[in-house]
Amino acid sequence: MFIQYYSYKADDYLTDDYFVDTMLEPTPESETFWKILIDENKINADEFISAYMTLKGLHENKPEVPEERIDLVWERITQTNRNKVIKIKRFQFIRYTAVACSIIVVIGLSLFTFMKTGKVDQNQSITDFARENVIHTKQPTNQIQLVSGNNTLAVEGVQAKLEYDANGNLKVNKKSVAVNQATNLVKEIQKFNQLKVPYGKRAFLKLSDGTSLWINTGTTVTYPTTFANNKREIFVEGEVFAEVYHDSKRPFIIKTEKLDVQVLGTVFNVSAYKEDKQTNVVLVSGSVNVKPKNGKSTIIKPNQIFAYTDQASTLRNVEVENYISWHDGNYIFHNEPIENILLRLSRYYNVTMKLPSNPSGISCSGKLELKDDLTLLLNGLSEITSMSFAVKDNEYRIKFE
Amino acid sequence: MKSQDYLNLSMKFKNTTFVPIAIHRLRDEFVRGDDNAYSDLYNLYAKELYAFGLSLRAKTDLIEDAIHDIFVEIYTHRQNLEKVDNLKYYFLAAFRNRLFFLIKKDSNSFEITENDTVDLQEKDSQEIWIEKEEENEKQILIKRLLSELTQNQREALYHRFVEKMSLEEIATLMNINYQSAKNLIHRSIKKLKSVTAFTLLLFILFCFR
């Protein structure tokens, strides 16, 4: 049967499966087989050998792979996987947590004059502490800052992750920090920590009771290292999305200038920006009690927004996703005046925008991916509306025509 | 009598690919959620995939993206591997699909043409002499020979002679039928031979003998 090989030329060998397979992965049998054919002069040895050498040449012509690139790709892969796991977890918690709500709280402009009257005493409340501290730390900063007693810790980067364990030990971006000692001190004298996230930055904070807070840009959160036995209180100025650890013995209260939100273990979003006049509370599911400083408490139902100003408060149904999507890195709008969209973008990217004083009357619907470049997003808005923009002296000048 | 045995052996080679049991064990551990098995799989195949991408003359960033994408994909879809017998082949196929998709998306990067010989000939004059330091003349000639081939022919030869894949596997991987795969290899070899350099190669090879 091997008679076929008698007349083989080099290229015939190279297209012969048995030849190729046994040359690349020889077995004792195959070696004897070819040896016999050659020794007995049954086949043309020159053709056989040239075929063999060509095959070896082709086989060894494997491109050189840079080892360090393989390692770098692996790092990238593990990074992506880690982010993915976090994303999936968050998604599940939005979908499946039975009690979930979202609250957006906005504080009036009149606040500043009021704050200066704040006084410190021995049993200083979290609200007073927060007010005091706002005055003390007026110096502008571009970094995320954790102020704990007399210690200030600045965190580099656009996003920071701070996690306390049950004993109040802190990890920043997965690394333990020396602030631990300082916080112990703070615990004794019952003071509070403040996390300041400037415009253009975001942070994630895990509190010592297991509650998770996603902190939006331009936000300050005041909280104790460990909570008291009978209640958990934090103070927010700006916007947070919170997953509150269930503890029926210690109600969780998010305090803001205009109202308090009391929950027993839920997920919610507090946004209290100084320059906004309206306080909004949006509930995803479950039930939450909102108590404005001047007014009676209101129970909010899922998919409802509680909008509070000094003049009036209203309750209506909304798409909650529009109010909480920021913590997943995008903003969703439905018929939103373009001015509001630009305001949110200017906060998120920490840029100054100059808008015409007359309202444009333009409304937009859609989703903006906040990981995209701001110019890209503005280009997109310009394309679908009559908006145009120019960058001058670090200012975005917007025109509608 | 003896020849009969050899033929049986040859049949066996054609139809089965031997997959070491250890690899199946690795696969099962990975499917069960073992992250060490995941990194073992990466270390086992990433280099192979990278080399394949380079042999296709794809941009390195696209090659890296493709490797990244398929490994991220299987991380969350482990059960996809559950019934896979030949892992190497599975990864090659997944990588190939992903890479070609990325190349298409990145359309101006790399064209599958008959004459990307051009860039190689340009290379000839300067770089080849630098390269010569690292590889022998045989390799240079092989490279020049390969540049005479079409993209498909080169890929088929790569699978056959570097990856040691069977014609059946090459056919499935490249989305062509068995006969086409066979013809592709055949034509490539014929073309290699028709190139003048081939005779030169043989001459050199004989000297090395």
Side-chain angles (χ1 to χ4, degrees):
Chain A
M1 288 296 272
F2 51 81
I3 204 154
Q4 48 175 327
Y5 292 119
Y6 291 0
S7 58
Y8 262 31
K9 297 267 186 290
D11 54 323
D12 296 321
Y13 283 114
L14 288 170
T15 50
D16 183 83
D17 285 343
Y18 183 65
F19 173 82
V20 174
D21 290 336
T22 57
M23 287 301 127
L24 292 176
E25 280 165 1
T27 62
E29 292 90 342
S30 75
E31 272 172 15
T32 336
F33 173 75
W34 294 114
K35 197 169 181 296
I36 291 171
L37 283 185
I38 295 167
D39 288 351
E40 294 178 359
N41 269 330
K42 293 275 178 12
I43 56 172
N44 184 329
D46 286 349
E47 293 292 339
F48 180 87
I49 287 163
S50 69
Y52 172 75
M53 296 304 270
T54 310
L55 184 139
K56 278 288 173 209
L58 285 169
H59 179 66
E60 285 155 15
N61 185 44
K62 200 169 184 169
E64 279 289 317
V65 178
E67 203 72 52
E68 71 279 3
R69 298 306 302 172
I70 297 285
D71 295 341
L72 283 174
V73 175
W74 174 247
E75 266 169 43
R76 234 178 93 200
I77 289 168
T78 47
Q79 187 63 44
T80 312
N81 286 338
R82 223 175 291 140
N83 292 342
K84 238 180 160 174
V85 169
I86 292 169
K87 231 179 173 175
I88 288 167
K89 273 188 190 158
R90 274 195 217 165
F91 179 73
Q92 283 173 342
F93 111 90
I94 291 174
R95 281 291 159 93
Y96 303 120
T97 310
V99 190
C101 72
S102 165
I103 297 156
I104 298 171
V105 182
V106 182
I107 288 173
L109 277 170
S110 56
L111 205 116
F112 259 125
T113 46
F114 175 60
M115 275 191 312
K116 288 186 178 149
T117 61
K119 246 187 173 177
V120 201
D121 58 49
Q122 285 292 80
N123 297 315
Q124 191 185 28
S125 79
I126 195 164
T127 312
D128 291 336
F129 180 87
R131 284 175 187 154
E132 270 302 302
N133 224 281
V134 170
I135 301 161
H136 287 321
T137 55
K138 283 256 73 169
Q139 75 269 31
T141 172
N142 276 327
Q143 282 174 324
I144 297 170
Q145 281 191 340
L146 174 65
V147 183
S148 181
N150 290 326
N151 290 27
T152 300
L153 176 82
V155 186
E156 296 283 341
V158 178
Q159 301 208 39
K161 193 172 181 183
L162 293 95
E163 293 163 291
Y164 287 91
D165 66 15
N167 299 322
N169 296 317
L170 173 65
K171 276 187 177 178
V172 175
N173 293 334
K174 303 220 155 167
K175 287 188 194 95
S176 304
V177 287
V179 171
N180 294 358
Q181 284 91 44
T183 50
N184 283 335
L185 213 76
V186 166
K187 244 190 300 189
E188 283 164 28
I189 55 170
Q190 272 301 312
K191 270 204 180 171
F192 305 100
N193 307 301
Q194 263 189 335
L195 184 63
K196 298 165 189 291
V197 181
Y199 285 117
K201 309 278 165 95
R202 285 159 300 286
F204 171 84
L205 172 64
K206 186 153 203 156
L207 296 168
S208 57
D209 67 328
T211 294
S212 299
L213 296 174
W214 281 265
I215 303 169
N216 209 353
T217 185
T219 298
T220 300
V221 180
T222 308
Y223 59 94
T225 306
T226 50
F227 291 101
N229 292 332
N230 55 349
K231 62 179 177 182
R232 294 173 289 169
E233 283 183 343
I234 67 168
F235 187 89
V236 171
E237 188 234 286
E239 184 168 19
V240 297
F241 183 90
E243 179 189 10
V244 174
Y245 188 80
H246 181 81
D247 185 349
S248 54
K249 285 186 192 123
R250 294 189 296 171
F252 197 97
I253 300 164
I254 290 203
K255 293 183 166 260
T256 72
E257 270 304 321
K258 292 282 165 178
L259 51 77
D260 294 350
V261 183
Q262 185 180 332
V263 280
L264 285 171
T266 185
V267 186
F268 61 101
N269 187 82
V270 173
S271 159
Y273 288 110
K274 270 187 228 156
E275 58 273 33
D276 294 336
K277 287 181 184 129
Q278 187 173 287
T279 301
N280 293 327
V281 180
V282 182
L283 191 65
V284 181
S285 65
S287 151
V288 69
N289 187 23
V290 180
K291 169 102 179 63
K293 296 266 152 71
N294 316 307
K296 61 179 198 315
S297 11
T298 308
I299 299 226
I300 305 173
K301 292 201 182 107
N303 300 318
Q304 283 186 330
I305 183 170
F306 177 77
Y308 178 87
T309 66
D310 285 339
Q311 288 77 39
S313 60
T314 56
L315 194 64
R316 64 191 159 89
N317 287 331
V318 286
E319 284 277 344
V320 285
E321 186 63 19
N322 302 358
Y323 293 86
I324 62 163
S325 59
W326 65 267
H327 94 284
D328 267 337
N330 51 58
Y331 274 142
I332 301 174
F333 303 97
H334 284 289
N335 269 327
E336 187 79 20
I338 196 162
E339 286 85 355
N340 292 356
I341 299 172
L342 292 170
L343 175 67
R344 298 202 91 173
L345 289 180
S346 71
R347 270 185 197 150
Y348 199 91
Y349 289 95
N350 194 25
V351 296
T352 315
M353 285 194 195
K354 275 235 161 112
L355 276 77
S357 47
N358 297 331
S360 65
I362 301 169
S363 291
C364 298
S365 299
K367 177 169 146 185
L368 295 175
E369 293 269 349
L370 294 172
K371 66 173 188 296
D372 286 344
D373 187 61
L374 176 61
T375 316
L376 207 74
L377 296 179
L378 292 179
N379 276 333
L381 285 173
S382 309
E383 239 161 69
I384 55 167
T385 67
S386 60
M387 186 191 98
S388 62
F389 72 98
V391 190
K392 214 177 172 188
D393 308 327
N394 284 328
E395 256 182 19
Y396 283 77
R397 301 191 177 180
I398 313 282
K399 265 201 251 171
F400 303 104
E401 35 208 9
Chain B
M1 191 176 69
K2 237 179 188 173
S3 66
Q4 205 58 42
D5 290 338
Y6 294 135
L7 273 178
N8 285 341
L9 195 73
S10 120
M11 290 305 289
K12 217 159 122 193
F13 261 101
K14 262 189 213 167
N15 297 322
T16 33
T17 318
F18 298 112
V19 180
I21 289 166
I23 290 188
H24 281 166
R25 201 175 300 142
L26 194 62
R27 174 199 65 194
D28 295 340
E29 281 166 8
F30 168 68
V31 172
R32 264 185 260 120
D34 184 342
D35 278 355
N36 289 331
Y38 180 58
S39 70
D40 286 348
L41 283 176
Y42 180 81
N43 291 331
L44 205 56
Y45 296 117
K47 218 170 158 185
E48 202 102 45
L49 300 177
Y50 209 114
F52 173 42
L54 287 176
S55 84
L56 291 171
R57 298 172 189 195
K59 280 184 176 175
T60 51
D61 54 341
L62 296 184
I63 295 172
E64 290 175 13
D65 284 352
I67 294 175
H68 168 270
D69 293 351
I70 64 165
F71 274 93
V72 165
E73 181 71 15
I74 61 154
Y75 188 71
T76 41
H77 297 92
R78 293 167 190 248
Q79 67 285 1
N80 284 2
L81 279 190
E82 205 171 355
K83 299 230 164 62
V84 175
D85 184 54
N86 189 340
L87 287 187
K88 177 177 155 182
Y89 175 72
Y90 174 89
F91 279 109
L92 273 176
F95 172 75
R96 187 183 188 274
N97 285 341
R98 188 65 195 164
L99 182 64
F100 280 12
F101 169 81
L102 292 176
I103 288 170
K104 216 171 184 180
K105 231 171 75 179
D106 184 73
S107 52
N108 50 2
S109 81
F110 152 100
E111 289 273 304
I112 300 177
T113 59
E114 303 268 329
N115 6 306
D116 44 348
T117 40
V118 186
D119 72 295
L120 222 94
Q121 270 155 7
E122 277 169 5
K123 210 177 164 190
D124 266 359
S125 51
Q126 301 166 4
E127 289 173 40
I128 217 155
W129 295 110
I130 303 162
E131 284 173 3
K132 204 178 168 184
E133 301 283 322
E134 294 142 30
E135 48 182 355
N136 57 39
E137 284 156 273
K138 188 170 74 182
Q139 288 300 318
I140 296 166
L141 272 166
I142 291 281
K143 278 220 172 106
R144 191 186 291 171
L145 281 175
L146 287 174
S147 71
E148 301 285 335
L149 301 178
T150 68
Q151 172 70 28
N152 271 345
Q153 289 172 331
R154 266 202 307 269
E155 190 189 344
L157 285 188
Y158 184 83
H159 292 318
R160 186 75 189 99
F161 296 112
V162 180
E163 301 283 357
K164 303 180 214 169
M165 284 166 68
S166 73
L167 281 177
E168 286 95 337
E169 287 171 332
I170 296 173
T172 334
L173 188 65
M174 296 180 68
N175 267 329
I176 50 181
N177 61 38
Y178 178 82
Q179 193 54 43
S180 306
K182 201 171 172 168
N183 292 344
L184 201 55
I185 304 265
H186 220 99
R187 270 202 307 274
S188 318
I189 297 287
K190 283 264 187 284
K191 197 163 171 187
L192 279 188
K193 203 190 164 191
S194 72
V195 181
T196 22
F198 190 64
T199 20
L200 184 60
L201 171 76
L202 293 185
F203 175 71
I204 291 170
L205 294 179
F206 280 127
C207 296
F208 276 97
R209 177 151 70 103

